[in-house]
Amino acid sequence: MGIPVKLQVFEGPLDLLLHLIDKNKIDIYDIPIVEITNQYMDYIKAMEKEDLNVMSEFLVMAATLLDIKCRMLLPKEVNEEGEEEDPRQELVEQLLEYKMYKYMSYELRDRQVEGEQLMFKEPTVPEEVMEYVEPVDLDLLLKDVTLAQLNNIFQDVMKRQIDKIDPVRSKFGKIEKEEVTLPDKLEYVTEYAKLHRKFGFRQLLEKQNSKTQIVVTFLAILQLMKEGVIFIEQEQAFDEIMITSRVES
């Protein structure tokens, strides 16, 4: 005699099977097919039969359970690898997959409920607040950087530029004065900072091709620090001095 099942709405035959498995605290990997089949058949007998499409789905699963029940009574089949085949294996895989998607739907439903509790509004920041520019504190900008450290980096870069010069070939040809202006370097460093956002102080100076360019670039960096366009920091003594752009690209 089958165990009475309290009727409720199920989304399909797999949903009903999961309900019976959970209710009877059955291991899904070791389903007692006879007991579950009897309970399942009791349920579909009590179902309303107006909707033939819904009933057909449950009847197909009933036929599958009866087929598995019969196969369980027969001698176990052996596959090509010599292992015994479990007639319930395919059903177990379907139940596990359905259970996974069912719990995922619960998660999405909970997120939807949480999302419906949130409210958004368009920004209403006053124009004078939008146009406000934070004052630049030069002492704060240079608190971890000393002139001695800047000078050491400057001298090191200058020495590298001298080492690149060929002592023989540099004496040939016509030497012309290189025109390098501070406004040009201010524009160059500003665009470089926008593009790279954060970079090393030494990295920028090493990209210059001459002593004059290095000097003017160095002056441009000091000017942009004063204007608050860039921010310079050094985490620890003797670490690389990093430059960060404060201008949106």
Side-chain angles (χ1 to χ4, degrees):
M1 180 176 180
I3 298 176
V5 178
K6 182 180 179 180
L7 295 180
Q8 65 184 73
V9 177
F10 295 99
E11 297 180 358
L14 290 175
D15 197 32
L16 172 57
L17 283 178
L18 281 179
H19 167 74
L20 296 176
I21 290 172
D22 293 339
K23 178 184 177 183
N24 293 278
K25 299 180 180 180
I26 293 172
D27 182 1
I28 196 171
Y29 293 98
D30 188 22
I31 301 174
I33 202 68
V34 176
E35 179 181 352
I36 288 297
T37 301
N38 292 338
Q39 293 185 33
Y40 185 89
M41 296 301 295
D42 289 341
Y43 179 84
I44 63 173
K45 288 178 182 177
M47 286 180 62
E48 296 182 359
K49 300 178 174 55
E50 286 84 357
D51 192 339
L52 295 179
N53 291 328
V54 174
M55 279 300 301
S56 62
E57 295 179 2
F58 285 88
L59 291 175
V60 170
M61 178 57 70
T64 302
L65 290 173
L66 292 174
D67 177 67
I68 296 174
K69 180 178 179 181
C70 295
R71 292 167 60 189
M72 294 285 291
L73 299 175
L74 299 174
K76 295 184 178 180
E77 299 179 0
V78 179
N79 58 24
E80 297 178 355
E81 298 178 356
E83 298 177 351
E84 293 183 350
E85 294 185 349
D86 190 341
R88 302 167 296 180
Q89 181 62 33
E90 184 176 352
L91 178 62
V92 169
E93 293 176 356
Q94 293 179 7
L95 287 169
L96 290 174
E97 184 177 6
Y98 177 80
K99 187 174 184 179
M100 178 185 67
Y101 285 111
K102 183 176 182 179
Y103 287 165
M104 288 173 61
S105 69
Y106 291 161
E107 177 69 19
L108 293 175
R109 181 195 60 192
D110 293 341
R111 293 190 180 186
Q112 179 182 1
V113 172
E114 293 176 359
E116 292 174 350
Q117 297 174 354
L118 301 177
M119 297 183 64
F120 300 90
K121 65 181 291 291
E122 295 294 331
T124 55
V125 181
E127 184 176 352
E128 56 271 17
V129 176
M130 294 292 292
E131 296 177 351
Y132 172 76
V133 178
E134 183 181 359
V136 178
D137 187 344
L138 295 180
D139 294 333
L140 179 61
L141 286 174
L142 297 172
K143 66 176 182 178
D144 296 325
V145 182
T146 65
L147 290 177
Q149 292 170 344
L150 292 174
N151 181 62
N152 290 336
I153 294 177
F154 178 76
Q155 295 298 334
D156 183 53
V157 173
M158 293 299 299
K159 183 178 182 302
R160 293 191 182 188
Q161 294 295 328
I162 295 175
D163 292 341
K164 292 180 182 179
I165 298 176
D166 189 322
V168 177
R169 295 184 180 182
S170 61
K171 298 179 181 180
F172 294 94
K174 182 180 179 181
I175 300 178
E176 297 181 356
K177 182 179 179 181
E178 183 179 13
E179 294 293 340
V180 182
T181 65
L182 181 58
D184 290 340
K185 281 301 176 184
L186 286 172
E187 182 180 355
Y188 168 77
V189 175
T190 301
E191 293 300 322
Y192 189 90
K194 287 182 181 180
L195 178 62
H196 293 83
R197 304 302 302 169
K198 188 172 183 178
F199 52 93
F201 183 67
R202 190 188 306 273
Q203 172 188 343
L204 177 61
L205 293 185
E206 288 179 349
K207 292 184 177 295
Q208 310 311 310
N209 299 320
S210 66
K211 181 177 180 179
T212 304
Q213 290 195 17
I214 291 177
V215 172
V216 180
T217 302
F218 189 81
L219 294 175
I221 291 174
L222 295 177
Q223 179 64 30
L224 293 175
M225 287 172 55
K226 181 178 179 180
E227 296 176 359
V229 176
I230 60 176
F231 176 79
I232 291 184
E233 59 183 341
Q234 184 182 43
E235 292 185 1
Q236 297 180 0
F238 307 110
D239 281 357
E240 170 75 4
I241 295 177
M242 301 303 297
I243 301 175
T244 304
S245 173
R246 303 185 70 178
V247 179
E248 295 297 333
S249 56

